[in-house]
């Protein structure tokens, strides 16, 4: 397996794939919708975010989308893991961990001091994030009013 930065054609393909897996990665909270996906991820890609891909036998088996964090309250240069996904056939083989380690290395080389990510309640990937040193910083809460 090789990890590298996605080219333009791969980025366009991954933008669609990222939109298609939003439901799974959000534990069903967000519907997989190509229009929502484009509205969420295109501005990020236009402002410095990019995909790192895991490739095996010329096939993309997973990706991580990284870039700057635009939260105005941060006083230090903060990067963000915006999306990570490993195709089901390649899970539990360390692909996600290798993608995350490469992403963290790249963000560190770009002089980011911290890295944030958002993980939905119940997402099993949280275990990996904690093993890599991530910890809870805040909790988002909501109430339905209908």
């Amino acid at each position: 397996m090789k990890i590298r930065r996605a080219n333009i054609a791969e980025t366009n393909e991954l933008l669609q794939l990222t939109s298609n897996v939003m439901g799974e990665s959000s534990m069903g909270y967000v519907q997989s919708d190509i229009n929502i996906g484009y509205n969420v991820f295109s501005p990020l890609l236009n402002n410095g975010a990019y995909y790192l891909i895991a490739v095996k036998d010329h096939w993309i088996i997973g990706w991580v989308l990284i870039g700057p964090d635009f939260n105005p309250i941060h006083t230090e240069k903060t990067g963000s893991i915006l999306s990570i996904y490993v195709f089901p056939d390649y899970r539990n083989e360390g692909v996600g961990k290798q993608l995350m380690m490469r992403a963290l290395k790249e963000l560190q080389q770009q002089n980011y001091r911290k890295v944030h990510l958002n993980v939905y309640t119940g997402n099993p990937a949280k275990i990996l994030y904690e093993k890599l040193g991530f910890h809870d910083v805040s909790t988002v809460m909501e109430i339905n009013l209908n």
Side-chain angles (χ1 to χ4, degrees):
M1 179 186 70
K2 180 180 178 180
I3 296 176
R4 63 172 173 77
R5 191 169 177 159
N7 63 36
I8 293 171
E10 292 163 337
T11 295
N12 290 330
E13 177 185 351
L14 290 166
L15 181 57
Q16 181 174 347
L17 290 171
T18 302
S19 301
N20 289 338
V21 301
M22 288 172 47
E24 180 183 350
S25 62
S26 70
M27 305 308 296
Y29 186 80
V30 177
Q31 291 182 357
S32 294
D33 181 299
I34 195 73
N35 293 322
I36 293 172
Y38 276 100
N39 289 338
V40 169
F41 297 108
S42 291
L44 300 171
L45 290 163
N46 290 333
N47 285 294
Y50 60 94
Y51 286 100
L52 295 172
I53 57 174
V55 179
K56 184 174 182 179
D57 299 325
H58 306 290
W59 294 99
I60 296 173
I61 62 171
W63 69 79
V64 61
L65 176 60
I66 64 174
D69 186 280
F70 296 105
N71 190 329
I73 66 166
H74 293 144
T75 58
E76 295 181 284
K77 186 176 178 184
T78 304
S80 187
I81 305 291
L82 302 159
S83 172
I84 181 168
Y85 188 80
V86 176
F87 286 101
D89 288 348
Y90 299 96
R91 292 181 185 164
N92 299 312
E93 295 181 10
V95 176
K97 181 178 180 180
Q98 289 182 55
L99 281 165
M100 286 293 294
M101 291 175 61
R102 174 69 181 271
L104 294 173
K105 182 179 178 182
E106 289 220 6
L107 291 167
Q108 184 178 34
Q109 289 173 343
Q110 295 170 31
N111 297 316
Y112 287 99
R113 309 273 294 150
K114 295 181 191 179
V115 177
H116 283 197
L117 60 78
N118 182 41
V119 61
Y120 283 86
T121 301
N123 189 329
K126 186 173 182 181
I127 295 166
L128 168 63
Y129 306 147
E130 290 171 339
K131 286 181 181 178
L132 292 172
F134 284 87
H135 60 276
D136 290 334
V137 174
S138 70
T139 301
V140 175
M141 300 174 70
E142 79 175 19
I143 185 171
N144 289 329
L145 297 176
N146 21 343

